[in-house]
Amino acid sequence: MNVAPPKTLETGPKHRLGDEWLVGLASGTLSEGEAVFARTCLSFVPGAAADLALAETLGAAVLERAPKAALRADARASLLAALETAQMEPPAEKQQTHGVQARQTGGVMPAVLQDYAGGDVDRMKWSYLGPGMKKVRLWQNGEGQTLWMLRAQPGVKIPEHTHEGTELTLVLKGSFHDAFGSYGPGDVEETNDSHTHDLIIDEGEECICLALTDRPLKFKGWIARAMQPFVGL
Amino acid sequence: MSKMQASELDTGALNDCLSRIAAQADRGAFLQVFDHFGPRLKYFLLQKGCTDGEADDLVQDVMLTVWRKAKQYDPAKAAASTWIYTIARNRFIDAKRRERVMVDIDTCPEAEQVSEGTAEDEISQSELAQGVAAAMADLPAAQAEVIQMAFIDGKTHSEIAEELGVPLGTIKSRIRLAFARLRDVLESHR
Ligand SMILES: [Zn+2]
Ligand SMILES: [Zn+2]
């Protein structure tokens, strides 16, 4: 049960996405990048599949309360005609995974992200971002919303910057800290246009993050601004 | 369910229809499901911006999927209404090609679990669905409005904020509050 997991099970990440993301996934209103990001975050959260199912049950309750719209006059007849050629599928032997899946061990990227990106971190085409930092872009839409990954060496400091929109960062491996807290695997940090932060990768191991940004980041200071062209996010 | 019309299918009747479709390819049962969901699905699709013709086609498509996959429906994993809802949502997304990579339109909701499943939860999905429906009916108006706009109108949280003229943070907190009530419903069914 989700409420009382066995003692040996982790209780999951301390910084999580809010429940509004479950509603976003269940209602199908997230962009592709947001959906990938949310599913990846949820793969670290025990009981997340049940939470998403709860949100879908809410969707069904809303649908049940929806007004009715008149279907075209021949709707019933054409549906019955279509049944003539429709093949019923056999019961599924093993249900395919839907929505949220277990993180699965053995790689840095959770299974859901590997499926999307076509492999784990060593299959990605990392490009230079700044000293000790690499990036790979996974997805971008016409409004500049971008899903990307950051790979940074231990001890790297990412200069102070602000965000025009929202930046969400999920730690996949390693850890970092900033003025707002410290973040390890499964933790999500949300920053927005009201804060400026600089971010320090903790010593010990490299840090790999999945990030979702609304707009390109804005760096402060001339050294940082000089980095801007490389960022290209 | 006080909000439902007399002629409506309740959760039990709906599950029963799906098992008759699965076991005997029962067309009468299928038409009952169609009469119940078809017009609501059409409303749902129209609200999301489909044209009249697209909505009719998608409703037919969703209903055919229900027929084809009826044997894969497992009442232990989801209420019938939830299963049909997710088929419709996925079909819609697929039609719009928004989440093409991530949406697995062939699956039933709630298949494999994260680290621990609902499998050991002795929880009736239809009872849960009824509890959720009741909780939905009891939500404060401001919360219900936001939930409706997300699910029925297919609006993003920012679009809802813009349309209602309130800050995005307020929209998020209304959704979180509404969802917290659902978690209470879930707990009370465990
Ligand atoms: Zn936090
Ligand atoms: Zn930042």
Short mmCIF file of all heavy atoms in Angstrom, two decimals, chain A residues 1-3 9 19-20 26 29 32 35 47 49 51 56 62-64 67 69-70 72 76 78 84 87-90 94 96-98, chain B residues 21 27 35-36 39-40 42-43 56-57 60 68-69 72 85 89 98-99 101 107 110-112 116 121 152 154 157 176 183 187 190:
data_model
loop_
_atom_site.label_atom_id
_atom_site.label_comp_id
_atom_site.label_asym_id
_atom_site.label_seq_id
_atom_site.Cartn_x
_atom_site.Cartn_y
_atom_site.Cartn_z
N MET A 1 0.82 -1.20 0.00
CA MET A 1 0.00 0.00 0.00
C MET A 1 0.85 1.24 0.00
O MET A 1 1.90 1.28 0.58
CB MET A 1 -0.90 0.02 1.23
CG MET A 1 -1.84 -1.14 1.22
SD MET A 1 -3.30 -1.09 2.23
CE MET A 1 -3.23 0.42 3.09
N ASN A 2 0.35 2.27 -0.63
CA ASN A 2 1.13 3.49 -0.71
C ASN A 2 1.30 4.16 0.64
O ASN A 2 2.31 4.77 0.93
CB ASN A 2 0.45 4.49 -1.64
CG ASN A 2 0.35 3.92 -3.02
OD1 ASN A 2 1.25 3.21 -3.45
ND2 ASN A 2 -0.73 4.19 -3.71
N VAL A 3 0.26 4.06 1.45
CA VAL A 3 0.31 4.78 2.72
C VAL A 3 1.34 4.19 3.67
O VAL A 3 1.98 4.90 4.41
CB VAL A 3 -1.06 4.81 3.42
CG1 VAL A 3 -1.85 5.98 2.90
CG2 VAL A 3 -1.79 3.50 3.24
N LEU A 9 11.40 0.09 1.86
CA LEU A 9 11.18 0.91 0.67
C LEU A 9 11.45 2.37 0.98
O LEU A 9 11.11 2.87 2.04
CB LEU A 9 9.73 0.79 0.22
CG LEU A 9 9.45 -0.26 -0.85
CD1 LEU A 9 7.97 -0.27 -1.16
CD2 LEU A 9 10.24 0.02 -2.10
N ASP A 19 0.66 18.05 -7.23
CA ASP A 19 -0.40 17.20 -7.80
C ASP A 19 -1.03 17.77 -9.06
O ASP A 19 -1.69 17.05 -9.81
CB ASP A 19 -1.50 16.97 -6.76
CG ASP A 19 -1.06 16.02 -5.66
OD1 ASP A 19 -0.13 15.23 -5.90
OD2 ASP A 19 -1.67 16.05 -4.57
N GLU A 20 -0.84 19.07 -9.30
CA GLU A 20 -1.43 19.62 -10.53
C GLU A 20 -0.80 18.97 -11.77
O GLU A 20 -1.43 18.93 -12.83
CB GLU A 20 -1.30 21.15 -10.57
CG GLU A 20 0.09 21.71 -10.82
CD GLU A 20 0.94 21.79 -9.55
OE1 GLU A 20 0.55 21.23 -8.52
OE2 GLU A 20 2.02 22.42 -9.62
N ALA A 26 -3.21 13.45 -16.62
CA ALA A 26 -4.48 12.72 -16.77
C ALA A 26 -5.41 13.41 -17.75
O ALA A 26 -6.20 12.75 -18.43
CB ALA A 26 -5.16 12.57 -15.41
N THR A 29 -3.31 17.58 -21.12
CA THR A 29 -3.09 18.98 -21.48
C THR A 29 -1.62 19.39 -21.45
O THR A 29 -1.31 20.54 -21.73
CB THR A 29 -3.89 19.92 -20.54
OG1 THR A 29 -3.61 19.57 -19.19
CG2 THR A 29 -5.38 19.80 -20.79
N GLU A 32 4.37 17.80 -25.01
CA GLU A 32 5.15 16.56 -25.05
C GLU A 32 6.32 16.61 -24.06
O GLU A 32 6.56 15.67 -23.30
CB GLU A 32 5.67 16.36 -26.47
CG GLU A 32 6.46 15.08 -26.65
CD GLU A 32 6.86 14.89 -28.11
OE1 GLU A 32 6.00 15.04 -29.00
OE2 GLU A 32 8.03 14.59 -28.36
N ALA A 35 5.11 16.34 -20.53
CA ALA A 35 4.66 14.99 -20.20
C ALA A 35 5.86 14.07 -19.95
O ALA A 35 5.85 13.28 -19.01
CB ALA A 35 3.78 14.43 -21.33
N GLY A 47 4.36 4.70 -5.57
CA GLY A 47 2.89 4.88 -5.60
C GLY A 47 2.41 5.85 -6.65
O GLY A 47 1.22 6.15 -6.71
N ALA A 49 1.99 5.52 -9.84
CA ALA A 49 1.05 4.96 -10.82
C ALA A 49 -0.37 4.99 -10.25
O ALA A 49 -1.34 5.31 -10.96
CB ALA A 49 1.44 3.54 -11.20
N ASP A 51 -1.40 7.15 -8.04
CA ASP A 51 -1.79 8.56 -8.02
C ASP A 51 -2.31 9.00 -9.39
O ASP A 51 -3.31 9.71 -9.48
CB ASP A 51 -0.60 9.45 -7.65
CG ASP A 51 -0.22 9.32 -6.19
OD1 ASP A 51 -1.03 8.80 -5.40
OD2 ASP A 51 0.90 9.75 -5.84
N GLU A 56 -6.92 10.00 -13.22
CA GLU A 56 -7.72 9.55 -14.37
C GLU A 56 -9.15 9.22 -13.94
O GLU A 56 -10.10 9.43 -14.70
CB GLU A 56 -7.04 8.35 -15.04
CG GLU A 56 -5.80 8.80 -15.80
CD GLU A 56 -4.92 7.67 -16.32
OE1 GLU A 56 -5.05 6.54 -15.81
OE2 GLU A 56 -4.11 7.94 -17.22
N VAL A 62 -15.47 13.62 -14.22
CA VAL A 62 -15.83 14.86 -14.90
C VAL A 62 -16.57 14.54 -16.21
O VAL A 62 -17.59 15.16 -16.53
CB VAL A 62 -14.58 15.73 -15.17
CG1 VAL A 62 -14.92 16.93 -16.02
CG2 VAL A 62 -13.93 16.16 -13.86
N LEU A 63 -16.08 13.54 -16.91
CA LEU A 63 -16.73 13.14 -18.17
C LEU A 63 -18.17 12.68 -17.90
O LEU A 63 -19.10 13.03 -18.64
CB LEU A 63 -15.93 12.02 -18.85
CG LEU A 63 -16.55 11.41 -20.11
CD1 LEU A 63 -16.66 12.45 -21.23
CD2 LEU A 63 -15.72 10.22 -20.59
N GLU A 64 -18.35 11.92 -16.82
CA GLU A 64 -19.69 11.43 -16.48
C GLU A 64 -20.67 12.58 -16.21
O GLU A 64 -21.87 12.44 -16.39
CB GLU A 64 -19.63 10.55 -15.22
CG GLU A 64 -19.01 9.18 -15.44
CD GLU A 64 -20.02 8.14 -15.89
OE1 GLU A 64 -21.17 8.51 -16.20
OE2 GLU A 64 -19.66 6.95 -15.94
N PRO A 67 -22.24 17.50 -20.09
CA PRO A 67 -23.48 17.52 -20.87
C PRO A 67 -23.33 16.61 -22.09
O PRO A 67 -22.22 16.22 -22.44
CB PRO A 67 -23.60 18.97 -21.32
CG PRO A 67 -22.59 19.74 -20.56
CD PRO A 67 -21.53 18.78 -20.12
N ALA A 69 -23.77 15.95 -26.19
CA ALA A 69 -23.89 16.64 -27.48
C ALA A 69 -24.50 15.64 -28.45
O ALA A 69 -24.18 14.45 -28.41
CB ALA A 69 -22.51 17.08 -27.97
N ALA A 70 -25.38 16.12 -29.30
CA ALA A 70 -26.07 15.20 -30.22
C ALA A 70 -25.09 14.62 -31.23
O ALA A 70 -24.32 15.36 -31.86
CB ALA A 70 -27.19 15.95 -30.93
N ARG A 72 -24.25 12.47 -34.76
CA ARG A 72 -24.92 12.51 -36.06
C ARG A 72 -25.97 11.39 -36.14
O ARG A 72 -25.84 10.37 -35.45
CB ARG A 72 -23.91 12.46 -37.21
CG ARG A 72 -23.16 11.18 -37.31
CD ARG A 72 -22.20 11.21 -38.52
NE ARG A 72 -21.23 10.14 -38.37
CZ ARG A 72 -19.91 10.29 -38.53
NH1 ARG A 72 -19.39 11.45 -38.86
NH2 ARG A 72 -19.11 9.26 -38.37
N ARG A 76 -25.33 5.45 -34.56
CA ARG A 76 -25.51 4.08 -34.07
C ARG A 76 -25.37 3.07 -35.22
O ARG A 76 -24.68 2.06 -35.09
CB ARG A 76 -26.91 3.94 -33.48
CG ARG A 76 -26.94 3.98 -31.96
CD ARG A 76 -28.37 4.09 -31.47
NE ARG A 76 -28.49 3.47 -30.15
CZ ARG A 76 -29.21 2.38 -29.90
NH1 ARG A 76 -29.90 1.78 -30.86
NH2 ARG A 76 -29.26 1.88 -28.68
N SER A 78 -23.87 3.39 -38.11
CA SER A 78 -22.53 3.24 -38.71
C SER A 78 -21.58 2.54 -37.75
O SER A 78 -20.68 1.82 -38.16
CB SER A 78 -21.99 4.58 -39.21
OG SER A 78 -21.66 5.41 -38.15
N GLU A 84 -18.88 -5.11 -37.77
CA GLU A 84 -18.82 -6.30 -38.64
C GLU A 84 -17.37 -6.66 -38.97
O GLU A 84 -17.03 -7.83 -39.10
CB GLU A 84 -19.59 -6.06 -39.94
CG GLU A 84 -21.09 -5.82 -39.74
CD GLU A 84 -21.78 -6.96 -38.99
OE1 GLU A 84 -21.40 -8.13 -39.21
OE2 GLU A 84 -22.70 -6.66 -38.19
N GLN A 87 -12.09 -6.65 -35.26
CA GLN A 87 -11.60 -7.86 -34.59
C GLN A 87 -11.45 -7.59 -33.10
O GLN A 87 -10.84 -6.61 -32.72
CB GLN A 87 -10.21 -8.22 -35.13
CG GLN A 87 -10.19 -8.70 -36.56
CD GLN A 87 -10.68 -10.14 -36.68
OE1 GLN A 87 -10.57 -10.92 -35.74
NE2 GLN A 87 -11.25 -10.49 -37.83
N MET A 88 -11.97 -8.51 -32.32
CA MET A 88 -11.75 -8.37 -30.88
C MET A 88 -10.38 -8.92 -30.54
O MET A 88 -10.00 -9.98 -31.03
CB MET A 88 -12.80 -9.15 -30.11
CG MET A 88 -14.01 -8.34 -29.81
SD MET A 88 -14.86 -9.13 -28.43
CE MET A 88 -16.28 -8.07 -28.32
N GLU A 89 -9.67 -8.19 -29.72
CA GLU A 89 -8.33 -8.64 -29.36
C GLU A 89 -8.40 -9.59 -28.17
O GLU A 89 -9.28 -9.46 -27.33
CB GLU A 89 -7.46 -7.42 -29.03
CG GLU A 89 -7.23 -6.56 -30.26
CD GLU A 89 -6.53 -5.25 -29.97
OE1 GLU A 89 -5.92 -5.12 -28.90
OE2 GLU A 89 -6.62 -4.36 -30.83
N PRO A 90 -7.46 -10.52 -28.11
CA PRO A 90 -7.45 -11.44 -26.97
C PRO A 90 -7.07 -10.71 -25.69
O PRO A 90 -6.47 -9.64 -25.76
CB PRO A 90 -6.38 -12.46 -27.35
CG PRO A 90 -5.49 -11.76 -28.30
CD PRO A 90 -6.34 -10.75 -29.02
N LYS A 94 0.21 -9.88 -20.66
CA LYS A 94 0.90 -9.02 -19.69
C LYS A 94 0.55 -7.62 -20.14
O LYS A 94 0.76 -7.26 -21.29
CB LYS A 94 2.41 -9.25 -19.80
CG LYS A 94 3.22 -8.43 -18.83
CD LYS A 94 4.70 -8.82 -18.98
CE LYS A 94 5.58 -8.01 -18.06
NZ LYS A 94 5.66 -6.60 -18.43
N GLN A 96 0.69 -3.91 -20.96
CA GLN A 96 1.79 -2.99 -21.24
C GLN A 96 1.76 -1.86 -20.23
O GLN A 96 0.73 -1.56 -19.65
CB GLN A 96 1.63 -2.41 -22.63
CG GLN A 96 2.03 -3.40 -23.70
CD GLN A 96 1.70 -2.81 -25.05
OE1 GLN A 96 0.57 -2.82 -25.48
NE2 GLN A 96 2.71 -2.29 -25.70
N THR A 97 2.89 -1.27 -20.07
CA THR A 97 2.98 -0.20 -19.10
C THR A 97 2.29 1.04 -19.63
O THR A 97 2.42 1.39 -20.78
CB THR A 97 4.44 0.13 -18.84
OG1 THR A 97 5.05 -1.08 -18.46
CG2 THR A 97 4.59 1.13 -17.74
N HIS A 98 1.57 1.65 -18.77
CA HIS A 98 0.89 2.87 -19.16
C HIS A 98 1.25 3.98 -18.20
O HIS A 98 1.31 3.77 -17.01
CB HIS A 98 -0.62 2.65 -19.11
CG HIS A 98 -1.40 3.91 -19.11
ND1 HIS A 98 -1.81 4.50 -20.26
CD2 HIS A 98 -1.81 4.69 -18.10
CE1 HIS A 98 -2.46 5.61 -19.96
NE2 HIS A 98 -2.48 5.74 -18.65
N ILE B 21 -19.83 -7.70 -23.25
CA ILE B 21 -19.19 -7.46 -24.56
C ILE B 21 -18.00 -8.42 -24.71
O ILE B 21 -17.85 -9.09 -25.74
CB ILE B 21 -18.72 -5.99 -24.69
CG1 ILE B 21 -19.91 -5.03 -24.66
CG2 ILE B 21 -17.91 -5.80 -25.98
CD1 ILE B 21 -19.54 -3.57 -24.43
N ARG B 27 -23.92 -7.08 -28.56
CA ARG B 27 -24.13 -5.77 -29.19
C ARG B 27 -25.09 -4.88 -28.42
O ARG B 27 -24.96 -3.66 -28.43
CB ARG B 27 -24.64 -5.95 -30.62
CG ARG B 27 -23.49 -6.27 -31.54
CD ARG B 27 -23.89 -6.93 -32.83
NE ARG B 27 -22.70 -7.66 -33.27
CZ ARG B 27 -22.09 -7.44 -34.42
NH1 ARG B 27 -22.57 -6.59 -35.28
NH2 ARG B 27 -21.00 -8.11 -34.73
N ASP B 35 -24.68 4.59 -25.88
CA ASP B 35 -25.70 5.61 -25.58
C ASP B 35 -25.32 6.43 -24.36
O ASP B 35 -25.63 7.61 -24.27
CB ASP B 35 -27.07 4.96 -25.37
CG ASP B 35 -27.64 4.41 -26.68
OD1 ASP B 35 -27.16 4.83 -27.76
OD2 ASP B 35 -28.53 3.54 -26.64
N HIS B 36 -24.63 5.77 -23.44
CA HIS B 36 -24.23 6.47 -22.22
C HIS B 36 -23.06 7.42 -22.48
O HIS B 36 -23.08 8.57 -22.07
CB HIS B 36 -23.84 5.45 -21.15
CG HIS B 36 -23.42 6.06 -19.86
ND1 HIS B 36 -24.30 6.61 -18.96
CD2 HIS B 36 -22.19 6.25 -19.30
CE1 HIS B 36 -23.65 7.09 -17.91
NE2 HIS B 36 -22.36 6.88 -18.09
N PRO B 39 -22.60 10.56 -26.48
CA PRO B 39 -22.90 12.01 -26.51
C PRO B 39 -22.01 12.83 -25.56
O PRO B 39 -21.70 13.97 -25.85
CB PRO B 39 -24.37 12.06 -26.05
CG PRO B 39 -24.91 10.68 -26.32
CD PRO B 39 -23.76 9.74 -26.09
N ARG B 40 -21.59 12.23 -24.45
CA ARG B 40 -20.71 12.96 -23.53
C ARG B 40 -19.31 13.08 -24.12
O ARG B 40 -18.67 14.11 -24.01
CB ARG B 40 -20.62 12.22 -22.19
CG ARG B 40 -21.90 12.28 -21.41
CD ARG B 40 -21.69 11.77 -20.00
NE ARG B 40 -22.87 12.06 -19.20
CZ ARG B 40 -23.92 11.26 -19.14
NH1 ARG B 40 -23.94 10.11 -19.79
NH2 ARG B 40 -24.97 11.60 -18.41
N LYS B 42 -18.68 13.18 -27.18
CA LYS B 42 -18.72 14.16 -28.25
C LYS B 42 -18.62 15.58 -27.67
O LYS B 42 -17.86 16.41 -28.19
CB LYS B 42 -19.99 14.03 -29.08
CG LYS B 42 -20.02 15.07 -30.20
CD LYS B 42 -20.98 14.77 -31.29
CE LYS B 42 -20.97 15.90 -32.31
NZ LYS B 42 -21.96 15.68 -33.37
N TYR B 43 -19.33 15.83 -26.60
CA TYR B 43 -19.25 17.14 -25.94
C TYR B 43 -17.80 17.44 -25.55
O TYR B 43 -17.27 18.52 -25.80
CB TYR B 43 -20.16 17.16 -24.71
CG TYR B 43 -20.09 18.47 -23.96
CD1 TYR B 43 -20.83 19.57 -24.37
CD2 TYR B 43 -19.26 18.61 -22.84
CE1 TYR B 43 -20.75 20.79 -23.69
CE2 TYR B 43 -19.18 19.82 -22.15
CZ TYR B 43 -19.92 20.91 -22.59
OH TYR B 43 -19.84 22.09 -21.92
N ASP B 56 -17.48 13.40 -34.16
CA ASP B 56 -18.26 12.18 -34.46
C ASP B 56 -17.33 11.02 -34.83
O ASP B 56 -17.51 9.90 -34.37
CB ASP B 56 -19.22 12.44 -35.62
CG ASP B 56 -20.53 13.08 -35.14
OD1 ASP B 56 -21.11 12.57 -34.15
OD2 ASP B 56 -20.97 14.07 -35.74
N ASP B 57 -16.34 11.32 -35.65
CA ASP B 57 -15.41 10.27 -36.07
C ASP B 57 -14.62 9.72 -34.88
O ASP B 57 -14.41 8.51 -34.75
CB ASP B 57 -14.42 10.80 -37.12
CG ASP B 57 -15.11 11.08 -38.45
OD1 ASP B 57 -16.27 10.63 -38.63
OD2 ASP B 57 -14.50 11.74 -39.32
N GLN B 60 -16.68 7.48 -32.68
CA GLN B 60 -16.80 6.14 -33.27
C GLN B 60 -15.51 5.34 -33.07
O GLN B 60 -15.53 4.16 -32.73
CB GLN B 60 -17.13 6.26 -34.76
CG GLN B 60 -17.09 4.90 -35.45
CD GLN B 60 -18.06 4.77 -36.62
OE1 GLN B 60 -19.05 5.48 -36.70
NE2 GLN B 60 -17.77 3.86 -37.53
N ARG B 68 -13.02 -3.55 -29.41
CA ARG B 68 -11.88 -4.42 -29.73
C ARG B 68 -11.10 -4.84 -28.49
O ARG B 68 -10.57 -5.94 -28.42
CB ARG B 68 -10.93 -3.70 -30.71
CG ARG B 68 -11.48 -3.66 -32.14
CD ARG B 68 -10.43 -3.22 -33.16
NE ARG B 68 -10.12 -1.81 -33.08
CZ ARG B 68 -9.04 -1.30 -32.53
NH1 ARG B 68 -8.13 -2.08 -32.00
NH2 ARG B 68 -8.86 0.00 -32.51
N LYS B 69 -11.02 -3.96 -27.52
CA LYS B 69 -10.20 -4.25 -26.35
C LYS B 69 -10.99 -4.69 -25.13
O LYS B 69 -10.44 -4.80 -24.03
CB LYS B 69 -9.38 -3.00 -25.98
CG LYS B 69 -8.40 -2.64 -27.10
CD LYS B 69 -7.41 -1.59 -26.67
CE LYS B 69 -6.48 -1.24 -27.80
NZ LYS B 69 -5.66 -2.39 -28.23
N GLN B 72 -9.59 -7.03 -22.72
CA GLN B 72 -8.41 -6.61 -21.95
C GLN B 72 -8.77 -5.76 -20.75
O GLN B 72 -7.92 -5.43 -19.94
CB GLN B 72 -7.45 -5.83 -22.88
CG GLN B 72 -6.91 -6.73 -23.96
CD GLN B 72 -6.16 -5.99 -25.04
OE1 GLN B 72 -5.95 -4.79 -24.96
NE2 GLN B 72 -5.76 -6.71 -26.07
N TYR B 85 -12.58 6.58 -20.32
CA TYR B 85 -12.04 7.95 -20.33
C TYR B 85 -10.61 7.97 -20.88
O TYR B 85 -10.27 8.81 -21.72
CB TYR B 85 -12.08 8.56 -18.91
CG TYR B 85 -11.26 9.83 -18.85
CD1 TYR B 85 -11.73 11.01 -19.39
CD2 TYR B 85 -9.97 9.82 -18.31
CE1 TYR B 85 -10.95 12.16 -19.39
CE2 TYR B 85 -9.18 10.96 -18.31
CZ TYR B 85 -9.68 12.13 -18.85
OH TYR B 85 -8.90 13.26 -18.87
N ARG B 89 -9.20 9.98 -24.07
CA ARG B 89 -8.14 10.98 -23.93
C ARG B 89 -6.95 10.65 -24.84
O ARG B 89 -6.42 11.50 -25.54
CB ARG B 89 -7.69 11.06 -22.48
CG ARG B 89 -6.53 12.03 -22.29
CD ARG B 89 -5.71 11.68 -21.07
NE ARG B 89 -5.15 10.35 -21.17
CZ ARG B 89 -4.62 9.68 -20.16
NH1 ARG B 89 -4.58 10.21 -18.97
NH2 ARG B 89 -4.13 8.47 -20.34
N ARG B 98 0.06 15.41 -30.12
CA ARG B 98 0.77 16.24 -29.16
C ARG B 98 1.77 15.44 -28.34
O ARG B 98 2.87 15.89 -28.09
CB ARG B 98 -0.21 16.94 -28.24
CG ARG B 98 -0.84 18.13 -28.92
CD ARG B 98 -1.86 18.78 -28.04
NE ARG B 98 -1.25 19.36 -26.86
CZ ARG B 98 -1.96 19.91 -25.89
NH1 ARG B 98 -3.25 19.93 -25.96
NH2 ARG B 98 -1.35 20.42 -24.85
N GLU B 99 1.35 14.29 -27.91
CA GLU B 99 2.23 13.52 -27.05
C GLU B 99 2.57 12.21 -27.73
O GLU B 99 2.73 11.21 -27.08
CB GLU B 99 1.52 13.19 -25.73
CG GLU B 99 1.62 14.26 -24.70
CD GLU B 99 1.03 13.77 -23.41
OE1 GLU B 99 -0.19 13.76 -23.28
OE2 GLU B 99 1.80 13.35 -22.54
N VAL B 101 4.82 10.44 -28.77
CA VAL B 101 5.82 9.47 -28.34
C VAL B 101 5.45 8.79 -27.04
O VAL B 101 5.70 7.62 -26.84
CB VAL B 101 7.19 10.16 -28.20
CG1 VAL B 101 8.26 9.14 -27.84
CG2 VAL B 101 7.55 10.85 -29.49
N THR B 107 -3.00 0.62 -24.12
CA THR B 107 -2.99 0.00 -22.82
C THR B 107 -4.18 0.39 -21.98
O THR B 107 -4.81 1.39 -22.21
CB THR B 107 -1.73 0.39 -22.05
OG1 THR B 107 -1.71 1.80 -22.00
CG2 THR B 107 -0.52 -0.13 -22.73
N GLU B 110 -3.38 2.06 -15.59
CA GLU B 110 -3.03 1.42 -14.34
C GLU B 110 -2.56 0.00 -14.57
O GLU B 110 -3.14 -0.94 -14.08
CB GLU B 110 -4.31 1.39 -13.50
CG GLU B 110 -4.17 1.53 -12.03
CD GLU B 110 -2.83 1.97 -11.63
OE1 GLU B 110 -2.25 2.84 -12.28
OE2 GLU B 110 -2.34 1.40 -10.66
N ALA B 111 -1.58 -0.17 -15.39
CA ALA B 111 -1.10 -1.52 -15.60
C ALA B 111 0.00 -1.83 -14.61
O ALA B 111 -0.27 -2.19 -13.48
CB ALA B 111 -0.64 -1.70 -17.03
N GLU B 112 1.24 -1.66 -15.02
CA GLU B 112 2.31 -1.99 -14.08
C GLU B 112 2.50 -0.85 -13.09
O GLU B 112 2.32 0.30 -13.39
CB GLU B 112 3.59 -2.25 -14.84
CG GLU B 112 3.58 -3.64 -15.37
CD GLU B 112 4.70 -3.88 -16.34
OE1 GLU B 112 5.39 -2.93 -16.72
OE2 GLU B 112 4.87 -5.04 -16.70
N GLU B 116 5.39 -0.31 -5.67
CA GLU B 116 4.45 -1.23 -5.04
C GLU B 116 3.11 -0.97 -5.69
O GLU B 116 2.83 0.14 -6.09
CB GLU B 116 4.37 -1.03 -3.52
CG GLU B 116 3.72 0.26 -3.11
CD GLU B 116 4.66 1.42 -3.23
OE1 GLU B 116 5.51 1.55 -2.36
OE2 GLU B 116 4.54 2.17 -4.18
N ASP B 121 -3.70 -3.88 -2.77
CA ASP B 121 -4.75 -3.05 -2.18
C ASP B 121 -6.08 -3.72 -2.45
O ASP B 121 -6.45 -3.89 -3.60
CB ASP B 121 -4.80 -1.68 -2.85
CG ASP B 121 -3.66 -0.79 -2.41
OD1 ASP B 121 -2.87 -1.23 -1.57
OD2 ASP B 121 -3.59 0.33 -2.93
N ILE B 152 -12.38 18.91 -19.21
CA ILE B 152 -13.36 19.01 -20.29
C ILE B 152 -12.86 19.94 -21.40
O ILE B 152 -12.86 19.58 -22.57
CB ILE B 152 -14.73 19.51 -19.77
CG1 ILE B 152 -15.33 18.49 -18.81
CG2 ILE B 152 -15.67 19.78 -20.93
CD1 ILE B 152 -15.99 17.31 -19.43
N GLY B 154 -9.86 20.95 -21.81
CA GLY B 154 -8.50 20.65 -22.22
C GLY B 154 -7.58 21.86 -22.14
O GLY B 154 -6.65 22.01 -22.93
N HIS B 157 -2.90 24.87 -17.41
CA HIS B 157 -3.07 25.68 -16.21
C HIS B 157 -2.87 27.17 -16.51
O HIS B 157 -3.58 28.01 -15.95
CB HIS B 157 -2.12 25.18 -15.11
CG HIS B 157 -2.31 23.72 -14.81
ND1 HIS B 157 -1.36 22.92 -14.26
CD2 HIS B 157 -3.38 22.92 -15.02
CE1 HIS B 157 -1.84 21.68 -14.15
NE2 HIS B 157 -3.05 21.67 -14.60
N ARG B 176 -4.47 21.50 -6.46
CA ARG B 176 -3.88 20.69 -5.38
C ARG B 176 -4.89 20.43 -4.28
O ARG B 176 -4.97 19.33 -3.73
CB ARG B 176 -2.66 21.40 -4.78
CG ARG B 176 -1.47 21.38 -5.73
CD ARG B 176 -0.30 22.16 -5.15
NE ARG B 176 0.73 22.30 -6.16
CZ ARG B 176 1.84 23.01 -6.01
NH1 ARG B 176 2.07 23.63 -4.86
NH2 ARG B 176 2.73 23.08 -6.98
N ARG B 183 -7.41 12.27 -2.53
CA ARG B 183 -6.53 11.38 -1.77
C ARG B 183 -7.25 10.90 -0.51
O ARG B 183 -7.09 9.76 -0.10
CB ARG B 183 -5.24 12.11 -1.38
CG ARG B 183 -4.31 12.35 -2.55
CD ARG B 183 -2.95 12.81 -2.02
NE ARG B 183 -2.06 13.22 -3.07
CZ ARG B 183 -1.37 12.37 -3.84
NH1 ARG B 183 -1.48 11.07 -3.65
NH2 ARG B 183 -0.59 12.83 -4.78
N GLU B 187 -7.87 7.09 0.53
CA GLU B 187 -7.51 6.53 1.85
C GLU B 187 -8.71 5.87 2.50
O GLU B 187 -8.59 4.82 3.12
CB GLU B 187 -6.98 7.64 2.78
CG GLU B 187 -5.64 8.22 2.35
CD GLU B 187 -4.64 7.17 1.91
OE1 GLU B 187 -4.50 6.15 2.63
OE2 GLU B 187 -4.02 7.34 0.85
N ARG B 190 -9.22 2.29 1.44
CA ARG B 190 -8.19 1.28 1.64
C ARG B 190 -8.50 0.39 2.83
O ARG B 190 -9.08 0.83 3.77
CB ARG B 190 -6.83 1.95 1.89
CG ARG B 190 -6.22 2.45 0.62
CD ARG B 190 -4.88 3.08 0.92
NE ARG B 190 -4.42 3.88 -0.18
CZ ARG B 190 -3.77 3.40 -1.23
NH1 ARG B 190 -3.50 2.13 -1.32
NH2 ARG B 190 -3.37 4.21 -2.19
#
